[in-house]
Amino acid sequence: MKAWIIQYGVQIFFGLATVTLGIITIRQKVKENRVKLEHLAGGDRKATLFLTRDPLVKALGAMYKDARPGDTIWGQCVGCDDYTEAVRDAVLKAAGQGVSFKIIVNRYAPTLTEFRSIFDPIASAQLVEGCDNAIRIQGIGDRLVVVSIPEMTAYTGLQIRDPYVIGIFKDWFDRRFQALQATPAR
């Protein structure tokens, strides 16, 4: 019996170790390929696809940093949350350099008060409330737009630099903003 335990116990131990190392290796390769995909699906193209939130947040920070005096950053939030300290700092810095903001906030967002606290001190920020915000969108003038689609288990974002496509989103946003601005707040 003891010989059997020694013989098969060692085999079982090495078998479990092999399976565990295999799982670790597969997880690393998945992470590695995701990073490669994020880099392949963007770069200097007219559109960049984001499959995770972190690179999208970095792109938004770069958008705020690249804003010039006289630019307008426009957008719509759904949850109006998860704004990192770096993004908040970039918003305030852009405002200090003469950038204005037009934002449609979600009236029902649980973090609306916190979100408003970022923009309330900025004189050039205009916020209106929407009650049916379904997509997250941020743009800068007619140079760049970032769209992200809320999902329960995944993340999909798209950064677009094509002037024609940006114009479509910007026109939609402007008409929606004007309509909400004309509607009395509840």
Side-chain angles (χ1 to χ4, degrees):
M1 178 73 164
K2 191 175 187 181
W4 183 89
I5 291 175
I6 291 173
Q7 179 184 358
Y8 292 108
V10 170
Q11 289 177 349
I12 290 171
F13 172 78
F14 284 117
L16 289 174
T18 302
V19 169
T20 302
L21 290 174
I23 290 170
I24 292 170
T25 302
I26 289 170
R27 290 189 69 190
Q28 278 303 114
K29 287 296 180 185
V30 167
K31 285 182 183 179
E32 207 174 279
N33 287 332
R34 179 172 287 166
V35 169
K36 286 179 184 175
L37 178 62
E38 288 170 0
H39 290 292
L40 288 174
D44 58 352
R45 298 179 182 194
K46 287 187 176 185
T48 302
L49 176 66
F50 299 105
L51 299 176
T52 59
R53 186 172 188 280
D54 288 339
L56 179 67
V57 169
K58 288 178 187 171
L60 288 174
M63 180 180 79
Y64 287 115
K65 194 184 290 184
D66 293 342
R68 296 174 243 157
D71 279 343
T72 299
I73 294 178
W74 49 275
Q76 171 177 280
C77 62
V78 176
C80 304
D81 60 354
D82 290 336
Y83 282 82
T84 65
E85 195 67 33
V87 172
R88 290 174 193 215
D89 291 345
V91 167
L92 295 174
K93 186 174 182 181
Q97 296 175 342
V99 174
S100 60
F101 300 87
K102 291 174 90 172
I103 302 174
I104 302 170
V105 297
N106 181 357
R107 175 180 299 150
Y108 303 113
T111 58
L112 183 57
T113 304
E114 181 183 330
F115 182 82
R116 281 185 167 280
S117 72
I118 298 170
F119 293 96
D120 283 345
I122 302 171
S124 63
Q126 300 176 54
L127 276 66
V128 298
E129 291 184 359
C131 58
D132 60 348
N133 298 9
I135 60 169
R136 294 176 179 102
I137 185 168
Q138 289 192 46
I140 183 166
D142 57 0
R143 296 193 319 263
L144 178 75
V145 67
V146 177
V147 179
S148 62
I149 301 160
E151 298 181 56
M152 292 299 286
T153 59
Y155 194 88
T156 306
L158 186 62
Q159 181 183 58
I160 303 167
R161 292 178 202 81
D162 181 78
Y164 180 76
V165 176
I166 295 167
I168 292 169
F169 280 106
K170 179 79 167 80
D171 183 55
W172 169 83
F173 174 84
D174 287 340
R175 284 187 278 121
R176 179 168 163 76
F177 189 90
Q178 287 174 347
L180 290 169
Q181 200 171 31
T183 306
R186 293 184 196 173

